[in-house]
Amino acid sequence: MGQRIKTVRRQRGLSQAQLAHPELSDSYVSLIESGKRTPTPAVLELLAEKLDCSLTYLINGVTAEQMQEIELGLGYARLAMENGEVGEARTRYAELLADSGLAGLPQHRQDAEYGLALATEACGDLDGAIALLNGLRENDPATMTPERHIAVAVALSRCYREQGDLAQAVNVVEEILGGAVRPAWTDGLMRLGGQLLAAYVERGDLLR
């Protein structure tokens, strides 16, 4: 963020003192640009106004127009998936992830990665889907909501079961349901339990 502020300031031909005056100190602007201080939302809005650029760009590194294009792209990919055009959905999600604009948008990137995994599974590429889903679990655990954690586990268990790896299909779910503290039951967790039951049945573990 600090680097983006510095770049736009220079493009506008402003010094740190000119950008700061009169509301801020030039030393404070210097600390922001060097990454040693995180500006408050109010200060960010002020800087965006003074630099004549969008707040979205300062925060995420994408312009308002780029953000609109990304959200439209995600919408089109989801629509293709819902309409059964799984190859089209897979292509659109892959194109979104190839765009560097998603680098500063972790939630949008995660949506695209999850969508790509589901589209890849629907195209019959189970190995590819499993790799993508495991990548999500390993790389984005801190940014994933509990609902997304469960949705990824449901899809991963389903892929392992379809592949015939019933041990892994069971392990993925038991990691969540078999912990010391069982999470509160939700619709997503019910679906996860359903995947576990299906895996037990398929491997002949009827007592379990």
Side-chain angles (χ1 to χ4, degrees):
M1 187 188 300
Q3 186 59 49
R4 286 191 289 273
I5 292 170
K6 182 178 182 180
T7 299
V8 178
R9 173 178 63 76
R10 287 180 170 177
Q11 288 172 349
R12 302 289 188 265
L14 299 172
S15 67
Q16 288 181 340
Q18 287 171 321
L19 176 60
H21 185 77
E23 298 89 350
L24 310 169
S25 68
D26 52 346
S27 61
Y28 182 51
V29 170
S30 176
L31 287 171
I32 292 172
E33 290 187 352
S34 65
K36 295 177 181 176
R37 190 67 58 86
T38 300
T40 64
V43 169
L44 266 178
E45 288 183 18
L46 175 66
L47 292 174
E49 183 180 343
K50 287 188 165 196
L51 292 169
D52 191 27
C53 70
S54 73
L55 185 61
T56 304
Y57 176 75
L58 291 186
I59 295 172
N60 302 311
V62 296
T63 64
E65 292 77 14
Q66 286 174 313
M67 178 69 84
Q68 187 177 25
E69 286 180 11
I70 288 168
E71 290 177 345
L72 276 173
L74 283 169
Y76 283 133
R78 280 193 295 267
L79 189 60
M81 192 72 182
E82 289 169 6
N83 290 337
E85 300 168 358
V86 294
E88 175 71 12
R90 188 178 186 181
T91 298
R92 285 186 177 273
Y93 280 125
E95 287 174 348
L96 281 164
L97 288 167
D99 188 340
S100 59
L102 280 181
L105 301 166
Q107 188 58 59
H108 288 71
R109 190 191 72 250
Q110 190 185 107
D111 288 344
E113 289 173 343
Y114 178 64
L116 178 60
L118 295 185
T120 301
E121 178 196 359
C123 287
D125 182 2
L126 294 177
D127 286 338
I130 287 169
L132 288 164
L133 291 165
N134 277 321
L136 267 169
R137 297 180 90 206
E138 292 167 8
N139 300 329
D140 295 335
T143 59
M144 278 203 288
T145 63
E147 293 79 11
R148 178 56 56 80
H149 268 292
I150 290 170
V152 168
V154 168
L156 188 56
S157 179
R158 182 177 62 241
C159 286
Y160 278 130
R161 188 164 56 83
E162 290 173 358
Q163 198 181 49
D165 191 344
L166 299 178
Q168 279 292 74
V170 166
N171 289 340
V172 166
V173 184
E174 287 189 338
E175 284 176 9
I176 297 175
L177 298 185
V181 179
R182 176 174 292 174
W185 285 103
T186 61
D187 287 348
L189 213 58
M190 292 287 281
R191 287 192 290 275
L192 192 61
Q195 287 298 323
L196 182 58
L197 285 171
Y200 284 151
V201 169
E202 283 195 28
R203 75 177 187 181
D205 192 353
L206 302 184
L207 178 61
R208 180 67 171 163

